[in-house]
């Protein structure tokens, strides 16, 4: 989904940026733990 520039309030954009960073960090940590070195390229 794309939205125009300036459509979101900076506070809302910052909160979603922070939230997505947390979720991506959790996903990376889980992938490292569950996959291990032998299953990743």
């Amino acid at each position: 989904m794309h939205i125009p520039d300036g459509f979101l309030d900076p506070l809302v954009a910052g909160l979603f940026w922070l939230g997505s960073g947390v979720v991506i960090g959790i996903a990376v940590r889980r992938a490292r733990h569950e996959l291990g070195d032998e299953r990743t390229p």
Side-chain angles (χ1 to χ4, degrees):
M1 178 173 72
H2 298 278
I3 57 173
D5 290 340
F7 188 75
L8 290 177
D9 184 62
L11 176 63
V12 173
L15 288 174
F16 277 102
W17 183 84
L18 181 64
S20 63
V22 169
V23 171
I24 291 170
I26 291 169
V28 168
R29 184 175 293 169
R30 285 187 65 184
R32 284 184 185 164
H33 176 70
E34 292 179 13
L35 295 177
D37 290 335
E38 64 277 356
R39 293 186 66 190
T40 56

